[in-house]
Amino acid sequence: MIFRIKQTRWLYVSLSILSLYLAFTITPVKASPPVTTSVLSSAQPTNSLEQGRNFYQSGSFAEAIRVWQTAAQQYHTQGDRLNEALSLSYLSLAQQELNQWEAARQSIEQSLKLLDFGQKRSVRVDYTRT
């Protein structure tokens, strides 16, 4: 009985030490923009998105922000909601890199609104038909 208590206590202590070790040594992973996109439609903003990705990958986050903001505005005027949302998503990543947390939150919220995520849709069932 005493051996079992000591064995259990040893297990708890070992797991606690392992958990603390993992908590302090493992770093969180940051999201990064995808390398390829297949939903892009018009020529000018596509180049802007690629140019922004190049700036982002080289660490020029302020330039990436400028390019992606321009691309988002161009997509907005064209009425291309999907690519506008993609531009805003990329924009949010660059803003996070520069610790612009509020601007990043607004960009991603705007992107999700364009895609209609997070909005409840009502479903109407017609029971009169038989």
Side-chain angles (χ1 to χ4, degrees):
M1 179 76 175
I2 293 175
F3 177 72
R4 187 156 182 88
I5 293 173
K6 286 184 178 182
Q7 186 179 17
T8 306
R9 187 176 296 157
W10 175 251
L11 178 67
Y12 288 137
V13 169
S14 298
L15 287 175
S16 299
I17 291 170
L18 178 64
S19 298
L20 286 172
Y21 173 76
L22 291 175
F24 287 109
T25 57
I26 296 177
T27 58
V29 178
K30 283 192 218 176
S32 63
V35 176
T36 60
T37 56
S38 60
V39 295
L40 305 173
S41 60
S42 42
Q44 176 59 25
T46 301
N47 293 334
S48 296
L49 290 177
E50 291 172 8
Q51 185 181 12
R53 269 185 263 146
N54 290 336
F55 282 132
Y56 183 90
Q57 290 171 350
S58 69
S60 301
F61 303 119
E63 285 298 314
I65 287 173
R66 183 187 57 76
V67 169
W68 285 329
Q69 283 174 335
T70 303
Q73 291 168 351
Q74 288 174 346
Y75 282 127
H76 181 74
T77 36
Q78 294 172 1
D80 188 348
R81 295 169 56 117
L82 188 59
N83 286 315
E84 181 184 357
L86 181 62
S87 301
L88 290 168
S89 177
Y90 287 164
L91 175 62
S92 175
L93 290 174
Q95 289 167 330
Q96 289 175 44
E97 290 291 339
L98 295 179
N99 295 327
Q100 298 173 356
W101 303 111
E102 185 59 27
R105 183 188 63 77
Q106 290 173 355
S107 295
I108 203 67
E109 282 180 0
Q110 188 178 358
S111 172
L112 292 173
K113 283 180 186 176
L114 287 168
L115 298 173
D116 289 332
F117 285 133
Q119 296 183 6
K120 296 181 181 178
R121 297 176 190 256
S122 61
V123 177
R124 186 174 163 192
V125 179
D126 187 6
Y127 290 108
T128 58
R129 290 185 166 174
T130 53

